[in-house]
C-alpha cells in the first residue's frame, strides 16, 4: 500500500513544485508591467490637469474606480474569460485574431476585416508597449527627488544608463540572469507593496470602504461628465493587463490565475488603498504617495528595489516584442529579420537585433523628449484603451463561434466590457494633444507597414504566377528530350507549388543539366502555433517531388532539418552534403502604371523587400549549399 502510493505522492509533489515555479515566473514576467503601476497611478490622478482635491470623498471614489477597474478589466475580462481563448495553448492578440478568422470563410470580407482589426490592435499594443520601460524606470528613479530635490538633475542620466544597459544585455542568454534575479525580485516587490499598504491602512482604515462600488458612482455623480476623464489616470492601474493573455503559452492559465488571485491582486490593492490612506492623512503626499509614506531609512533601498522591479517589467516588454515580431514574421506581416537563439536549452529565448535597437532608440527618445513620468503618463493609455476595445470585439467573435455553451453569458458580458472600454477610450482621447498622439502615430505607421508588406507579397506572388508555367504540363514535355542528368539532389524553393520555379528554369537555361533528384519545395506557415503534420510529399515520377513543409507560427522554420524527415514518408533520401538549394531572389520595382497599391506603398514595399533578411538565413539553409538566381518583378 505504502510503496504503491509513494510514486503518486512524488508526482503530486513535483507538480506542486512546478506550479509554484511557474507562479513565481508569472509574477515576474506576466505581471511585471501592471505590478509597477502603483509607482505612478495615484500620483498621476492628483496631477493638476485633472483638478482633483485630495479630500475624503474624492480619495475613496478614486480608489473605488481603481479597485473595480482591476476586478472587471483584469480579473474578469483577461484572467477569467480571455485566457480560455487559447490557440492550442498560445495566447496574444495574434492568437485571438487567427482564432476569429478560422471560423469564417477564407478570403471573405469578414476574414479581411478581422485581420485588419487584429493587426491594428497588435500595432497599437507595440505603440503603447514602448512607453512601459520609459515610464516605469523614470517613475522608480524619480524617488531620488524625494530623498533630496537636488538630485532632480540625476534622474534622466540614471534612467538612460539603466535602459541602455538593459537593451545591451539582450544579445546574451538572459535566462539564468532572469531566473536568479526576477523570481526573488518579484516575490520581494509584491511583498513590499503589501506591507507598505497595510502600514498606511492601519492609520486610516476608512479607505477600506472604497471596495463599495457606490463610492465610484458617487464620484461620477459629483464630478458629472467631467469625472469620466479621470479614467485617463485610472487606466494606468490596468496597463499590462493584456500581457496576461500574451504570455499564456509561456506559463499556462492555471499558474497565471493563481499568481493573480493569491499574490498580485491583493498586493496591488493593499498598496493602492495604503496610498489613499496616506493622502487622507496628509494631503500634501498626493504629489508622490508611493515614496512619501516610506521612512527616510527605507527610501534608498526602496528606490533600488523599484528600479529592479521596473527592469523586470521592461524585460518582459522587450522579450514580448521579440515574440510578437517572430509570430508576425511567420504569419507574413513583416519582412524577415535576423533571429538569434540565445539559449541552447530554451528555443523560445530569442533576440532580434532590429527590434531591440529600434525599441531602444524609441524608449530613449521618449525619456529625453518627455522628461518625467507625469509627462509620459499623458501619452500612456490612448493606444492601450483601443487595444482593449479590439480584444473585446475579437473575444465576442470567438465566443460566438467556439463557445456555444458559454456564449449565452459571455456575449452579454462583452457588451458590458465594450461599454467600459469605450469609457476608457473617451477618457484617454483627450490626451492626444498632450502626447497621446505619439503611440497612436507609431501604431498607425506600424500598421501601414504591416499591411503594405502583406499586400505587397500578395501582389508579388500574383505577378510571379502570371508569368509562371504550369508544372504538370511542363515536366512531361521536358522529359521528352531530357537534359543531362547529374548526381545529387536539387531543392528549388517556390511560393506557388503549381508553377515551375524561376530558379529551376534559370538553372536549365544557364547550366543545361538536371539533377538526379529534384525537389520543388514550398514552406507554409499555419495559423496555429504548432504543426501536427509537418511534411506532405507528392511523387511526380522521373526523380521529381513536390514537398510541402508546414510550420506553426511559434515554430522555427529549419528547412534542412525538416527535409531530413522525408525518408519517413517516401523514398526520397537526402544527403546533406550532396544537396544544393536553388533560390530565386526577386528585385521589386515600383510601377505607377499597374493596379494594386498607390505608388508610395509600392515604393515602401520595395524598400522593405530590399532590406529583408535573406531567405537562406531565415530557413537555416547553409550558405555553402545555396545557389541564388535573380529576377526583376514590377508591381
Amino acid at each position: 500500500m505504502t510503496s504503491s502510493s509513494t510514486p503518486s505522492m512524488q508526482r503530486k509533489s513535483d507538480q506542486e513544485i512546478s506550479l509554484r515555479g511557474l507562479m513565481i515566473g508569472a509574477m515576474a514576467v506576466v505581471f511585471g508591467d501592471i505590478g509597477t503601476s502603483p509607482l505612478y497611478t495615484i500620483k498621476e490622478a492628483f496631477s493638476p490637469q485633472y483638478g482633483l482635491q485630495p479630500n475624503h470623498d474624492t480619495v475613496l471614489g478614486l480608489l473605488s474606480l481603481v479597485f473595480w477597474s482591476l476586478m472587471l478589466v483584469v480579473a474578469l475580462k483577461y484572467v477569467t474569460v480571455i485566457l480560455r481563448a487559447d490557440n492550442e495553448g498560445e495566447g496574444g492578440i495574434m492568437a485571438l485574431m487567427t482564432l476569429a478568422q478560422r471560423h469564417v470563410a477564407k478570403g471573405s470580407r469578414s476574414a479581411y476585416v478581422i485581420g485588419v482589426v487584429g493587426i491594428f490592435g497588435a500595432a497599437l499594443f507595440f505603440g503603447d508597449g514602448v512607453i512601459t520601460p520609459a515610464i516605469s524606470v523614470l517613475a522608480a528613479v524619480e524617488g531620488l527627488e524625494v530623498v533630496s530635490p537636488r538630485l532632480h538633475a540625476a534622474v534622466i542620466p540614471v534612467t538612460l544608463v539603466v535602459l541602455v544597459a538593459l537593451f545591451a544585455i539582450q544579445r546574451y542568454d538572459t535566462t539564468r540572469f532572469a531566473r536568479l534575479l526576477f523570481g526573488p525580485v518579484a516575490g520581494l516587490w509584491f511583498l513590499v507593496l503589501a506591507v507598505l499598504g497595510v502600514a498606511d491602512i492601519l492609520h486610516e482604515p476608512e479607505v477600506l470602504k472604497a471596495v463599495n462600488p457606490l463610492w465610484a458612482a458617487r464620484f461620477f455623480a459629483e464630478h458629472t461628465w467631467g469625472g469620466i476623464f479621470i479614467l485617463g489616470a485610472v487606466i494606468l492601474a490596468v496597463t499590462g493587463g493584456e500581457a496576461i493573455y500574451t504570455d499564456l503559452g509561456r506559463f499556462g492559465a492555471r499558474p497565471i490565475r493563481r499568481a493573480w488571485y493569491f499574490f498580485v491582486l491583493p498586493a496591488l490593492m493593499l498598496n493602492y488603498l495604503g496610498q489613499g490612506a496616506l493622502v487622507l492623512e496628509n494631503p500634501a503626499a498626493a504629489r508622490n504617495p508611493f515614496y512619501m509614506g516610506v521612512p527616510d531609512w527605507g527610501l534608498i533601498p526602496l528606490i533600488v528595489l523599484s528600479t529592479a522591479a521596473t527592469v523586470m517589467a521592461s524585460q518582459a516588454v522587450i522579450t514580448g516584442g521579440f515574440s510578437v515580431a517572430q509570430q508576425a514574421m511567420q504569419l507574413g506581416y513583416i519582412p524577415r529579420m535576423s533571429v538569434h537563439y540565445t539559449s541552447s536549452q530554451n528555443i523560445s529565448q530569442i533576440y532580434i537585433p532590429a527590434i531591440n535597437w529600434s525599441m531602444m532608440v524609441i524608449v530613449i527618445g521618449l525619456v529625453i523628449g518627455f522628461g518625467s513620468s507625469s509627462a509620459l503618463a499623458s501619452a500612456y493609455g490612448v493606444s492601450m484603451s483601443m487595444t482593449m476595445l479590439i480584444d473585446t470585439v475579437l473575444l465576442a467573435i470567438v465566443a460566438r463561434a467556439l463557445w456555444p455553451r458559454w456564449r449565452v453569458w459571455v456575449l452579454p458580458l462583452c457588451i458590458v466590457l465594450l461599454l467600459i472600454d469605450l469609457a476608457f477610450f473617451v477618457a484617454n482621447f483627450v490626451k492626444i494633444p498632450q502626447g497621446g498622439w505619439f503611440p497612436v502615430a507609431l501604431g498607425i505607421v506600424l500598421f501601414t507597414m504591416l499591411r503594405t508588406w502583406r499586400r505587397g507579397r500578395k501582389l508579388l506572388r500574383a505577378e510571379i504566377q502570371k508569368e509562371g508555367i504550369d508544372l504538370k504540363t511542363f515536366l512531361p514535355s521536358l522529359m521528352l528530350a531530357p537534359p543531362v542528368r547529374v548526381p545529387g539532389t536539387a531543392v528549388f524553393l517556390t511560393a506557388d507549388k503549381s508553377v515551375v520555379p524561376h530558379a529551376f528554369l534559370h538553372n536549365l537555361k544557364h547550366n543545361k543539366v538536371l539533377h538526379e533528384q529534384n525537389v520543388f519545395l514550398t514552406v507554409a506557415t499555419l495559423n496555429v502555433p504548432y504543426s501536427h503534420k509537418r511534411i506532405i510529399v507528392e511523387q511526380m515520377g522521373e526523380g521529381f517531388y513536390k514537398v510541402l513543409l508546414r510550420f506553426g507560427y511559434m515554430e522555427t522554420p529549419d528547412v534542412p532539418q525538416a527535409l531530413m524527415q522525408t525518408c519517413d514518408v517516401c523514398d526520397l533520401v537526402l544527403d546533406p552534403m550532396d544537396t544544393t538549394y536553388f533560390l530565386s531572389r526577386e528585385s521589386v520595382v515600383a510601377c505607377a502604371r499597374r493596379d494594386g497599391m498607390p505608388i508610395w506603398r509600392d515604393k515602401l514595399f520595395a524598400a522593405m523587400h530590399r532590406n529583408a533578411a535573406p531567405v537562406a538565413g531565415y530557413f537555416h539553409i547553409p550558405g555553402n549549399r545555396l545557389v541564388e538566381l535573380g529576377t526583376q518583378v514590377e508591381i
Side-chain angles (χ1 to χ4, degrees), residues 308-331:
T310 56
V311 167
M312 177 180 71
S314 302
Q315 176 67 32
V317 170
I318 295 169
T319 55
F322 295 157
S323 178
V324 171
Q326 186 185 38
Q327 292 180 36
M329 271 188 280
Q330 287 285 71
L331 291 171

Side-chain angles (χ1 to χ4, degrees), residues 119-128 130 383 436-450:
I119 291 302
F120 188 52
L124 290 172
F125 170 71
F126 185 85
D128 242 6
V130 293
S383 297
W437 59 269
F438 176 80
V440 175
L442 180 59
I444 291 173
V445 169
L446 292 173
F447 172 75
T448 302
M449 295 177 69
L450 292 168

Side-chain angles (χ1 to χ4, degrees), residues 165-186:
L166 176 63
F167 282 100
I169 66 171
Q170 296 304 314
R171 69 181 69 185
Y172 305 108
D173 182 4
T174 58
T175 306
R176 181 177 300 178
F177 172 77
R179 186 168 57 247
L180 294 177
L181 176 64
F182 290 170
V185 166

Side-chain angles (χ1 to χ4, degrees), residues 34 63-81 210-213 234 237-238 244 260-261 264-266 268-269 272 413 417 420 424:
I34 199 171
L63 292 175
S64 186
L65 286 172
V66 170
F67 175 77
W68 286 104
S69 295
L70 286 170
M71 293 302 296
L72 294 174
V73 175
V74 182
L76 180 59
K77 176 180 172 179
Y78 283 103
V79 176
T80 304
V81 181
V211 299
N212 186 341
V234 173
V238 300
I244 296 170
W260 170 255
Y261 285 117
V264 179
L265 178 60
L268 289 176
M269 274 319 304
Y272 284 126
L413 175 63
L417 294 174
I420 296 172
F424 276 116

Side-chain angles (χ1 to χ4, degrees), residues 35 75 358:
S358 298

Side-chain angles (χ1 to χ4, degrees), residues 53 100 178 210 345 365 375 459 472 571 621 633:
Q53 298 300 317
Q345 299 177 336
L459 293 174
K472 290 186 177 180
D571 60 359
I621 297 172
V633 181

Side-chain angles (χ1 to χ4, degrees), residues 565-582:
Q565 302 171 14
T566 54
C567 59
D568 297 333
V569 294
C570 70
D571 60 359
L572 174 62
V573 179
L574 293 172
D575 180 1
M577 301 306 297
D578 201 22
T579 300
T580 305
Y581 295 85
F582 290 84

Side-chain angles (χ1 to χ4, degrees), residues 57 108 117 149-150 194 219 233 277 315 324 345 360 415 426 429 435 454 503 521 580 593:
D57 288 3
S108 66
V117 170
R150 291 177 298 178
F219 180 91
Q315 176 67 32
V324 171
Q345 299 177 336
M360 189 188 78
I415 295 174
V426 171
F429 190 78
R454 180 83 165 185
L521 175 65
T580 305
R593 298 186 305 274

